[in-house]
Amino acid sequence: MRADCHAHTTYSDGAEMGAMLDAADRAGLDAVGLTDHCIVVDDDFGRRERYDLVETYEERREEIHRYRDRIDVDVLDAAEVSYVADAEAETRRFLDSADFAYTIGSVHFAGEYDYTSGSQYAAASDEERRAAVERYYDAVVSAVDAGLFDVLGHLDLPERVPQLRGHSARRDYERVAAALAESDTLPEINAGRLHDSLGRVHPDPAMIECFRAEGVPFVVGSDSHAPAELRERVPALRAFLDDADVSVVDVDAVVSG
């Protein structure tokens, strides 16, 4: 089983990376992908200022090499890349140069909308919230069609935002499923909100049903940002997969080298 985690490594000693990889080893994983956030271009919401993997991925790669011989888990040098519709060319150039083992593409913001916080929607009407959600799924389909990424992450991110929850429609899910069915990109079952108010993995079960109807398989990710999250989420993901009627592909299907 593979589980993604965001190590946010401190390159001075690699201590944070080491703690994450030790947790992966103890969880009995076959492989772990280090998928720190990577934002290629500046954005209106300040995320590019907070995540610097574009500049530091080579330093992180050196740390990964130092740790690979210390544990039995296959450590993959990967990234979670924010999809920006008008920056596809820049994103492709960077990814071609960085040559990660695999990439997860995620929509965190689109146009004037930020989907990582609910504050923007606190005073919004239902119509305005629906417009924001529809714009999100437009961007997700565009991310699939762009063919930039191996994996599509955070498939129904608005459902994780209380102010936007319930504004996704089945037709949104069906659009994403249809796009994935025609693509080599694989969707991710993600445990990033397993222990908060949602209390489950995502995407939403109704979205999983649409993907299953299209014959679309999944990969699995923990979205862990700390060792404790990895330790909690891996058993929960295993329990989910034991009960769920989903097709999960092996890590080799997404690793490019």
Side-chain angles (χ1 to χ4, degrees):
M1 178 179 181
R2 175 186 65 83
D4 302 305
C5 61
H6 301 291
H8 299 311
T9 310
T10 54
Y11 299 108
S12 59
D13 58 11
E16 193 169 358
M17 178 184 290
M20 293 294 281
L21 296 181
D22 285 343
D25 197 7
R26 292 173 184 173
L29 295 176
D30 298 319
V32 60
L34 296 182
T35 54
D36 296 82
H37 289 294
C38 181
I39 303 177
V40 177
V41 296
D42 291 333
D43 64 273
D44 295 334
F45 305 102
R47 289 179 63 83
R48 176 66 181 82
E49 299 172 4
R50 302 201 304 273
Y51 301 109
D52 63 352
L53 192 66
V54 169
E55 288 86 17
T56 60
Y57 73 91
E58 292 176 312
E59 296 171 74
R60 192 192 69 163
R61 187 163 289 165
E62 292 175 2
E63 290 290 340
I64 289 173
H65 287 320
R66 279 193 278 271
Y67 273 95
R68 275 187 171 138
D69 294 334
R70 303 183 191 181
I71 62 174
D72 293 330
V73 179
D74 186 14
V75 184
L76 303 173
D77 175 21
E80 181 184 351
V81 183
S82 286
Y83 171 74
V84 182
D86 58 359
E88 292 175 347
E90 296 97 319
T91 302
R92 189 179 301 278
R93 282 195 297 270
F94 171 72
L95 294 180
D96 286 345
S97 174
D99 194 26
F100 294 111
Y102 68 94
T103 56
I104 300 174
S106 297
V107 174
H108 295 107
F109 46 84
E112 70 270 36
Y113 301 113
D114 178 9
Y115 301 103
T116 66
S117 168
S119 58
Q120 180 180 355
Y121 314 104
S125 67
D126 283 346
E127 291 76 12
E128 290 168 332
R129 294 180 183 189
R130 171 58 195 166
V133 169
E134 190 168 20
R135 179 68 181 84
Y136 171 82
Y137 290 107
D138 288 342
V140 170
V141 171
S142 294
V144 176
D145 292 343
L148 291 167
F149 312 111
D150 302 296
V151 177
L152 183 67
H154 299 322
L155 297 156
D156 59 346
L157 188 57
E159 290 299 300
R160 290 172 40 168
V161 180
Q163 293 84 351
L164 297 178
R165 193 170 300 157
H167 291 276
S168 297
R170 186 175 181 87
R171 63 182 180 275
D172 299 320
Y173 299 160
E174 290 173 342
R175 289 177 59 209
V176 177
L180 286 167
E182 299 297 323
S183 168
D184 293 330
T185 303
L186 293 167
E188 180 185 57
I189 291 177
N190 183 293
R193 286 298 179 267
L194 192 61
H195 298 288
D196 75 351
S197 59
L198 281 184
R200 57 168 172 77
V201 302
H202 75 112
D204 183 272
M207 194 176 206
I208 293 177
E209 180 183 325
C210 291
F211 292 172
R212 191 164 51 231
E214 290 282 358
V216 175
F218 293 86
V219 295
V220 177
S222 73
D223 197 11
S224 298
H225 292 67
E229 291 178 346
L230 189 64
R231 289 192 294 268
E232 292 174 346
R233 292 173 182 179
V234 168
L237 280 167
R238 286 181 172 137
F240 171 81
L241 293 174
D242 285 342
D243 294 335
D245 180 22
V246 295
S247 175
V248 176
V249 301
D250 187 79
V251 64
D252 292 339
V254 297
V255 174
S256 59

